[in-house]
Amino acid sequence: MLSIGLSGGLDRIYESSPELPNTFLHDGAAVLVQDGRVIAAVEEARLNRVKHSNKFPSNSIRYCLSTAGVELGDIDRIAFYATEAYCKAMLERLSCFSARSVGPQTVAAAAVGTGIRGRDRSVRVSFVNHHEVHAVSAFAMSGFEQSLVFAIDGGGDFLSGLMAVGSGTVIAQLVSFPEHNSLGLFYLETIRYLGCGMFDEYKVMGLAPYGDPDRYRELFAQFYELLDSGGYRVHLDRIGPALLRNIQVRRKGMPFTQQHRDVSASLQEALERIVFHTLRHHRKATGMTRLCLAGGVAHNCTLNGKLLYSGLFDDIFVQPAAHDAGCALGAALMVSSELGRPAPRERLPDVYWGPDLGNEQATELELNAWSGHLDIQRSDDIASSAADWMANGAVIGWVQGRSEFGPRALGNRSILADPRPAENKDRINAVVKKRESYRPFAPSALEEDASEFFELPDGTRQLPFMNFVVRVREAKGNVLGAITHVDGTARLQTVSRKTNPAYWDVINAFKKRTSLPILLNTSFNNNAEPIVQSVSDAITTFLTTDLDGLVVGPFLVRKRPASLQDWSALAASLPPYASLHRVRSHIAPDRQETVCEIRMGHSAHSSMRISPELFEILMRIEGEASLGSLFDTALLDQAKREDLVKELRLVWELRGVRLHPLHAACGHDNVQSGT
């Protein structure tokens, strides 16, 4: 039996985002399950290159079908991650802003039609409860025969979460949490006054250890109540007025003050207090000694770590794609179970379910197409070669095998570095990731050596998904300067030789050179894009950051100085989500001027100004065109060409334009994205 679970929106990549609540239609994904086992899974963002993609997961569906060697008509059930009633309500709201037809049939039509060849409208589409599939995604993958299941997020299906007991293949709901009591919205509403928005929650979680929760504890006590029987109530309407009276609101781009750090710490403490209150009650009432977590709030790794150390439960499983993309997993597993093929009762070992790199010959051809920009060398011992680079101070991109499902780079699409020098953290934040300097990085440690460096609770040996913040042993904190956060903790990933031998090998090779069985690991992307998926994504990110080296399969890649001729030989194209605009804009109350810009259709507020000269060049492109031919047509002299190449590289860095070798595909009809 084959089933596909879907999350995400209805728009195609070149269409505008729907005017819908922020908590609906994002993190698109598709997951293919055969007889209860995951065959393929990928988030649409990895393929269409739109962060937290709210587009219909057409590319993801095609990838899943291709991996299994089947057509859409071979699928027994498609499941969408929300109920019909919720879809109808949201789509009716959409009809207020557009002329689109409304109703859940729109989702069904998209599921079997949008951008997928070989469509078959006889395929049955199921609409499943959002929080139930969150719960299923965790319990079915936990390996537990019985457990408490806590699914909690911002919102979905008019709720913000549920508490249930899982037993065998059945999940029995104990209580649900209304949307007005949403802990996800509680967090979001607070961080708005810290200059952060949706998908920035992890920034505030990383900031909290720099603050003191004492300062605003009494203020935050006004924002929630702890009730009998594990209940709670949050007062979202009180947060804004109280913060406006008590802190200086931070605007985006402003520095964080100690006030903001203290608010972050108080928010984290309040969240932990509410969650512990709820879980303590249900742990006692049900007698369950194991816990499963899912939903966006389950990505709060600091909270997860404190639960782990608390001893409240003997074992805790956090679904690694706990956000809405994970609903695609839960939806596929739910309908597979309904078809008589439940997931086997086994602990999830890994999530390497995404597209593979392809064969070595194809990888080499793609790298060689960039020969004017890259030096490429094949290594017979890639782990040793990469370890030599890092032991000598290099920060590298590391791309191997199938990509990970979920938001964490778990060793197949990673940036890796020596975890010892504290300056590595500062350097990677500043010139590679291009993000706030306080943000911590995670360690990947050999599973068999992890307890020597990190304080792991009794019985805990495997933490493969970077879901828990744990304490770094006091004697090791000074040694591990690049991955130890200000509070002496780290978000640990343990690496098993069985589940990822290539990644284990490179860490082990680094251990042989340095005596440290640990690497700094962060996702391979910059601040403008999702984690890389394909070889061409990796090349683009390598060339637009200050990484020292790139390892793709068995190939070692370094940058080489590129001439104007090398740049002119590249093709340029616009991503399908980008469009060109020339508009009149105010530059003073009584003065306007004509400006040129590239707008990113996936964000209502994302645009970048470009020069009129570059605008005219890009307007000439039909599909794709070589830069040299565009420059020749415009009759540009060498100095102007060099200026435009410099501007193009800045726009490319922000992913407003694509640059790629002329022969490389730049469309999205395949499952591998272009640059």
Side-chain angles (χ1 to χ4, degrees), residues 393-408:
V395 178
I396 68 171
W398 172 265
V399 181
Q400 304 290 334
R402 294 180 72 173
S403 62
E404 310 91 335
F405 183 65
R408 313 293 186 203

Side-chain angles (χ1 to χ4, degrees), residues 292-533:
C292 292
L293 293 171
V297 176
H299 278 313
N300 192 300
C301 304
T302 301
L303 167 63
N304 297 344
K306 290 183 178 178
L307 284 169
L308 189 69
Y309 283 118
S310 72
L312 190 59
F313 296 92
D314 295 341
D315 199 358
I316 302 173
F317 176 75
V318 181
Q319 204 269 90
H323 58 310
D324 276 6
C327 286
L329 170 63
L333 292 170
M334 178 182 283
V335 295
S336 181
S337 184
E338 290 174 357
L339 292 169
R341 299 291 193 275
R345 198 57 51 189
E346 300 169 356
R347 186 67 164 246
L348 179 68
D350 65 75
V351 286
Y352 303 112
W353 298 330
D356 205 338
L357 281 183
N359 62 53
E360 183 179 317
Q361 183 179 11
T363 298
E364 186 172 21
L365 282 172
E366 187 146 22
L367 290 168
N368 285 333
W370 289 87
S371 58
H373 302 258
L374 303 174
D375 283 323
I376 302 120
Q377 177 185 353
R378 193 186 186 286
S379 172
D380 292 329
D381 187 352
I382 198 67
S384 292
S385 299
D388 283 338
W389 274 4
M390 290 183 286
N392 288 314
V395 178
I396 68 171
W398 172 265
V399 181
Q400 304 290 334
R402 294 180 72 173
S403 62
E404 310 91 335
F405 183 65
R408 313 293 186 203
L410 299 172
N412 281 11
R413 301 292 186 276
S414 292
I415 291 171
L416 304 178
D418 188 332
R420 294 172 295 178
E423 55 267 26
N424 269 358
K425 172 171 124 24
D426 299 330
R427 181 189 165 205
I428 297 170
N429 272 327
V431 300
V432 179
K433 303 289 282 187
K434 299 175 184 177
R435 66 185 199 178
E436 298 85 355
S437 61
Y438 69 84
R439 300 264 297 278
F441 290 110
S444 293
L446 297 183
E447 180 180 284
E448 51 269 49
D449 295 323
S451 61
E452 180 185 346
F453 295 85
F454 304 94
E455 295 180 16
L456 303 182
D458 290 343
T460 300
R461 189 166 173 268
Q462 298 173 333
L463 297 173
F465 302 122
M466 259 185 222
N467 280 332
F468 297 90
V469 165
V470 300
R471 294 189 288 266
V472 180
R473 291 196 181 276
E474 190 172 351
K476 305 294 184 180
N478 291 334
V479 177
L480 300 172
I483 58 87
T484 302
H485 203 24
V486 65
D487 59 350
T489 65
R491 180 163 46 88
L492 174 64
Q493 176 198 9
T494 60
V495 179
S496 163
R497 190 173 196 173
K498 181 178 180 181
T499 58
N500 196 334
Y503 194 34
W504 189 95
D505 283 345
V506 73
I507 301 173
N508 191 53
F510 185 79
K511 175 185 177 182
K512 290 177 180 177
R513 286 153 179 79
T514 65
S515 300
L516 271 181
I518 302 166
L519 288 174
L520 179 156
N521 174 17
T522 188
S523 56
F524 191 178
N525 62 321
N526 70 5
N527 63 334
E529 64 174 352
I531 302 174
V532 304
Q533 169 53 53

Side-chain angles (χ1 to χ4, degrees), residues 528-551:
E529 64 174 352
I531 302 174
V532 304
Q533 169 53 53
S534 65
V535 176
S536 88
D537 295 336
I539 294 168
T540 293
T541 306
F542 179 53
L543 289 174
T544 54
T545 60
D546 286 340
L547 286 170
D548 300 307
L550 172 64
V551 178

Side-chain angles (χ1 to χ4, degrees), residues 127-303:
F127 296 87
V128 292
N129 182 281
H130 183 86
H131 291 100
E132 285 184 18
V133 295
H134 266 315
V136 169
S137 75
F139 182 62
M141 299 279 96
S142 68
F144 299 151
E145 284 297 330
Q146 287 187 314
S147 83
L148 200 61
V149 185
F150 194 22
I152 194 155
D153 59 12
D157 277 321
F158 312 110
L159 297 171
S160 65
L162 62 80
M163 187 77 71
V165 168
S167 181
T169 59
V170 177
I171 294 178
Q173 181 175 308
L174 299 173
V175 63
S176 62
F177 304 97
E179 203 165 62
H180 63 259
N181 275 346
S182 168
L183 293 186
L185 296 182
F186 175 60
Y187 213 91
L188 275 174
E189 179 61 17
T190 302
I191 69 175
R192 285 201 308 126
Y193 298 90
L194 303 179
C196 298
M198 192 171 180
F199 310 125
D200 290 336
E201 294 91 337
Y202 54 90
K203 296 181 182 181
V204 178
M205 185 179 69
L207 186 65
Y210 291 90
D212 180 359
D214 288 349
R215 185 173 181 184
Y216 295 111
R217 183 174 292 127
E218 291 186 10
L219 183 68
F220 270 78
Q222 302 171 28
F223 302 160
Y224 67 93
E225 299 173 62
L226 303 181
L227 308 177
D228 293 339
S229 302
Y232 62 87
R233 180 179 296 120
V234 298
H235 301 286
L236 300 177
D237 57 329
R238 298 180 183 177
I239 295 172
L243 291 178
L244 286 170
R245 288 193 302 269
N246 286 275
I247 70 167
Q248 181 181 5
V249 174
R250 176 182 177 267
R251 306 299 176 192
K252 189 172 183 179
M254 290 173 56
F256 288 100
T257 67
Q258 192 57 45
Q259 270 191 338
H260 304 137
R261 299 183 186 101
D262 293 341
V263 168
S264 301
S266 299
L267 172 62
Q268 180 68 29
E269 181 184 76
L271 175 70
E272 293 168 4
R273 190 174 179 219
I274 296 168
V275 169
F276 267 87
H277 169 74
T278 299
L279 287 175
R280 283 193 185 100
H281 169 79
H282 290 287
R283 161 70 176 86
K284 183 176 181 181
T286 63
M288 292 291 110
T289 60
R290 293 175 173 82
L291 173 67
C292 292
L293 293 171
V297 176
H299 278 313
N300 192 300
C301 304
T302 301
L303 167 63

Side-chain angles (χ1 to χ4, degrees), residues 47 59-60 62-64 66 355 533 668-673:
L47 304 177
N59 294 297
S60 302
R62 282 197 292 272
Y63 158 68
C64 288
S66 173
Q533 169 53 53
H668 284 268
D669 290 334
N670 56 357
V671 298
Q672 297 285 338
S673 67

